[in-house]
Amino acid sequence: MVATPVLTSIFGTTQVVAQGLSLALALPSTGVTLVTYAWHHEVDWMIGIPLAVGGLLSISWGVKVAHALPERLLRGLFCGFLVVCAVMLTFKV
């Protein structure tokens, strides 16, 4: 989640490009993490597989929405998402 603000503020990319790059940057470490947790039998495949399939099926919709929204609104929504995540982590909701 740190990559997107860094890419927009320091490198001057648009919000859409920054979010895409951030996801691409996360892919290798996410793959290694999945393999490590699976090796230790810490993956609930019955929950994970449907969530992964749903995520894959909604990618094109999410990209279309991101491109359709004005830059400022998309950035505001992303900031709001970060705040909600921080609050949830703070109170362990």
Side-chain angles (χ1 to χ4, degrees):
M1 289 199 198
V2 175
T4 302
V6 169
L7 288 167
T8 56
S9 62
I10 295 175
F11 294 102
T13 64
T14 65
Q15 187 72 23
V16 172
V17 170
Q19 288 177 200
L21 285 171
S22 178
L23 289 170
L25 290 169
L27 183 63
S29 62
T30 302
V32 171
T33 303
L34 175 61
V35 169
T36 303
Y37 274 91
W39 183 265
H40 294 284
H41 307 287
E42 295 292 332
V43 176
D44 187 340
W45 295 105
M46 296 302 289
I47 294 173
I49 290 175
L51 287 174
V53 170
L56 289 172
L57 293 175
S58 65
I59 289 172
S60 60
W61 176 79
V63 170
K64 286 179 186 175
V65 170
H67 282 283
L69 293 175
E71 175 82 14
R72 188 176 179 131
L73 176 60
L74 186 60
R75 189 173 293 202
L77 290 171
F78 184 77
C79 289
F81 171 73
L82 290 180
V83 170
V84 168
C85 288
V87 168
M88 289 177 69
L89 285 171
T90 299
F91 296 109
K92 297 181 182 179
V93 175

